[in-house]
Amino acid sequence: MAIYGGIEAGGTKFVCAVGTGPDELQAETQFPTTSPDETIGRAVDFFKAQPIELAAIGIAAFGPVDLDPASPTYGHITTTPKPGWTQANLAGRISRALGVPVGFDTDVNGAALGEHRWGAARGLDTFLYLTIGTGIGGGGMLGGNLMHGLIHPEMGHMRLPHDWDADPFPGICPYHGDCLEGMAAGPAIQARWGQPAQTLPDDHPAWPLQARYLALALANLICTLSPQRIILGGGVMNVPQLFPLVRREVQDLLNGYVQAPEILDQIDCYIVPPGLASRAGVLGALALAEAAASTQQ
Ligand code: ZN
């Protein structure tokens, strides 16, 4: 049976694992994301130390990334503000060092593929995975294919209506100010209220406002892409009251127009947490490896 390697390459930490799926992980490690040389070197050392030959490696990476196989900078992180990582050739260096096929995609597309393989999106062909954490990103499948296109989706930077009287906070996105990420990522909540999101009490006005922004984004995505399900991961979504607030707000915003029982009557099963919980990222990377190995054959 083929064994795969997966790298959840985050802006804060790298998680590396070896195995075939959620019930079959043979080794795992994690370390902070420092310079590309040191971080990629540690990942390579971990995989080289494994006693078995890996069939492929999957990398689910922070971005933006170049996903165009015809591009000379395919597999690179492109324009990140993270020091040292602009134009870092992540996939190429891993592939050269280990000599195996490499599957490379965004962190959210990786997580989406993992959820499709083993989690909350099994059996679906059109669904979304969004992470709401230190940033906001979204990916998923359309008609059974991971979304790529021109670059890759940047759902975190969609523009939303902003009621300046209700919320005078200008937002923190360096490009757009009050885009979705600028208003609703963890650091935006902290900047608006002057304390970290996880220290705000359950009945704080931060939460209905947060639910409002997320629901505005989801309503736009539902009307644009018609997903069969939406998975919301990331640290901010660990706040227990958020899911019910977001679901109700999505129903209110759509106002009965999208005539699907999933939205009208079964929204608890329509807007859901990841089936793989906090493992969605690294298991998604394993799923990318599995997909890379099967295209090679
Ligand atoms: Zn933005």
Side-chain angles (χ1 to χ4, degrees):
M1 187 184 210
I3 309 289
Y4 303 103
I7 305 175
E8 179 186 6
T12 311
K13 67 173 195 262
F14 269 43
V15 183
C16 301
V18 169
T20 57
D23 304 323
E24 211 61 54
L25 281 184
Q26 302 177 359
E28 190 172 347
T29 188
Q30 55 174 276
F31 40 86
T33 308
T34 56
S35 69
D37 281 349
E38 182 182 13
T39 315
I40 295 170
R42 286 184 80 166
V44 167
D45 290 346
F46 167 76
F47 291 116
K48 278 190 170 165
Q50 300 305 315
I52 29 150
E53 201 171 319
L54 301 176
I57 302 262
I59 307 172
F62 73 99
V65 291
D66 186 344
L67 299 177
D68 176 5
S71 160
T73 54
Y74 169 76
H76 288 50
I77 309 278
T78 56
T79 56
T80 177
K82 194 164 175 56
W85 284 87
T86 297
Q87 293 303 336
N89 184 4
L90 179 55
R93 290 175 67 171
I94 295 283
S95 165
R96 274 198 303 277
L98 296 168
V100 293
V102 168
F104 183 68
D105 215 315
T106 60
D107 45 8
V108 279
N109 265 352
L113 189 62
E115 289 292 317
H116 185 255
R117 182 78 173 78
W118 299 296
R122 275 176 288 181
L124 306 180
D125 65 21
T126 298
F127 66 93
L128 303 178
Y129 181 99
L130 282 91
T131 181
I132 323 294
T134 52
I136 296 182
M141 278 187 179
L142 285 178
N145 295 309
L146 290 173
M147 293 178 204
H148 292 141
L150 180 66
I151 308 277
H152 47 75
E154 287 284 7
M155 298 176 196
H157 294 271
M158 77 169 75
R159 313 307 294 266
L160 301 172
H162 182 179
D163 179 345
W164 287 87
D165 291 330
D167 180 21
F169 182 65
I172 59 161
C173 175
Y175 291 89
H176 317 113
D178 62 352
C179 66
L180 172 61
E181 179 174 294
M183 297 304 267
I189 302 173
Q190 176 160 355
R192 180 188 288 109
W193 302 104
Q195 63 187 96
Q198 64 270 24
T199 65
L200 293 165
D202 291 0
D203 58 353
H204 195 280
W207 302 121
L209 187 68
Q210 178 71 9
R212 175 81 181 170
Y213 287 127
L214 293 178
L216 283 164
L218 297 194
N220 289 339
L221 291 166
I222 290 166
C223 293
T224 311
L225 299 169
S226 204
Q228 296 155 325
R229 187 166 295 148
I230 298 176
I231 302 167
L232 300 180
V236 172
M237 295 313 299
N238 290 330
V239 174
Q241 66 269 30
L242 259 183
F243 271 98
L245 288 172
V246 170
R247 290 169 181 141
R248 200 175 325 132
E249 193 76 33
V250 165
Q251 287 176 321
D252 286 352
L253 286 166
L254 293 173
N255 199 23
Y257 183 72
V258 179
Q259 285 285 325
E262 288 80 358
I263 292 171
L264 298 174
D265 309 317
Q266 301 152 20
I267 199 156
D268 289 358
C269 306
Y270 181 73
I271 298 172
V272 300
L276 302 172
S278 62
R279 320 286 297 140
V282 71
L283 290 169
L286 276 190
L288 288 172
E290 187 181 59
S294 69
T295 28
Q296 288 276 316
Q297 283 158 7

